[in-house]
Amino acid sequence: SQKIEQNSEALNIQEGKTATLTCNYTNYSPAYLQWYRQDPGRGPVFLLLIRENEKEKRKERLKVTFDTTLKQSLFHITASQPADSATYLCALEDTGGFKTIFGAGTRLFVKA
Amino acid sequence: DTAVSQTPKYLVTQMGNDKSIKCEQNLGHDTMYWYKQDSKKFLKIMFSYNNKELIINETVPNRFSPKSPDKAHLNLHINSLELGDSAVYFCASSQDSNNQPQHFGDGTRLSIL
């Protein structure tokens, strides 16, 4: 089945810089890939969905890329703010497309 | 208005007890899910229902029994609770079962003493 790898080490950046988070997957390329944000004690919140025929998707300060050759998605937050501090989860369809599987997430800390 | 609400938020109980977690969504979605998030933060699918019909049933002990009385509700009953059941359980919903974005509740933290 599909396996997702996200950097387990926390990412610390300065306010105003661009945060870049990585999601790698191991098997077949999914038809879509999603990114979620999770705050402590809360459920994940959907942010963006990108399809296999889309190279890039933007929403306000967020940008997601999807490289099916590298089997990788990059998630960028430009002009980062302390309020962006959270855990960011990558999710994609499992083999067979019947369910969505989630990565363990990368914790982002933005310092003022 | 809370889109996906689950109760209780915290559940502390002893090994061997039976407990239930309730979930309701007011988004008009057809599909609902139960996930388990363990201490390592992995979010693992347990069950999924589409229009009250079970469509995903992962390798979950049969002590866990989901019930969907209508498409807006998906409850989870757990019999004979074990220490390893301690985790955060999340309910979620999506428009349909075709890999749509999911809306999550805020979780139920289950602690087994």
Side-chain angles (χ1 to χ4, degrees):
Chain A
S1 61
Q2 193 70 277
K3 196 173 175 185
I4 301 176
E5 294 168 354
Q6 291 187 259
N7 195 342
S8 57
E9 286 183 21
L11 178 63
N12 290 283
I13 64 165
Q14 201 66 36
E15 182 177 12
K17 300 291 185 186
T18 296
T20 298
L21 306 175
T22 304
C23 173
N24 295 300
Y25 55 92
T26 56
N27 290 338
Y28 83 103
S29 277
Y32 73 94
L33 191 144
Q34 300 180 40
W35 283 90
Y36 289 77
R37 167 184 174 143
Q38 187 173 21
D39 291 284
R42 306 299 298 273
V45 174
F46 170 74
L47 296 174
L48 279 167
L49 182 150
I50 186 166
R51 301 193 186 281
E52 61 180 338
N53 59 351
E54 298 174 312
K55 295 297 182 192
E56 181 180 298
K57 198 120 181 224
R58 291 176 186 259
K59 179 183 173 183
E60 296 171 354
R61 293 184 296 110
L62 308 180
K63 185 178 88 171
V64 171
T65 62
F66 193 3
D67 189 325
T68 55
T69 303
L70 292 178
K71 296 189 176 181
Q72 181 181 81
S73 174
L74 298 179
F75 177 80
H76 306 272
I77 306 176
T78 57
S80 59
Q81 303 165 1
D84 295 327
S85 299
T87 297
Y88 291 86
L89 309 174
C90 168
L92 44 81
E93 60 178 336
D94 199 2
T95 309
F98 293 114
K99 62 180 188 271
T100 300
I101 59 171
F102 287 79
T106 299
R107 189 81 193 266
L108 172 67
F109 291 99
V110 181
K111 300 178 196 174
Chain B
D1 279 346
T2 304
V4 180
S5 59
Q6 48 182 115
T7 55
K9 190 169 175 65
Y10 299 97
L11 192 48
V12 182
T13 189
Q14 296 202 325
M15 215 163 47
N17 284 350
D18 303 338
K19 289 294 177 186
S20 292
I21 309 172
K22 294 186 176 182
C23 179
E24 176 182 3
Q25 54 97 1
N26 63 5
L27 296 166
H29 287 169
D30 285 345
T31 308
M32 295 186 72
Y33 312 81
W34 276 110
Y35 287 87
K36 179 180 180 181
Q37 189 170 44
D38 58 25
S39 56
K40 293 183 180 177
K41 303 300 182 186
F42 277 104
L43 203 58
K44 291 181 184 175
I45 182 77
M46 299 173 68
F47 302 102
S48 176
Y49 274 71
N50 188 59
N51 271 320
K52 303 193 298 175
E53 298 294 324
L54 180 67
I55 57 171
I56 295 174
N57 184 350
E58 287 296 284
T59 310
V60 177
N62 57 15
R63 297 182 294 104
F64 290 78
S65 52
K67 277 194 174 56
S68 182
D70 56 61
K71 75 173 193 177
H73 295 84
L74 181 61
N75 304 321
L76 183 65
H77 188 75
I78 316 170
N79 288 326
S80 304
L81 282 156
E82 299 177 358
L83 289 174
D85 297 334
S86 295
V88 182
Y89 292 84
F90 286 100
C91 175
S93 72
S94 63
Q95 191 167 0
D96 56 44
S97 57
N98 293 323
N99 302 312
Q100 293 291 315
Q102 296 180 28
H103 297 251
F104 284 80
D106 279 337
T108 295
R109 183 172 294 277
L110 174 62
S111 300
I112 309 300
L113 303 177

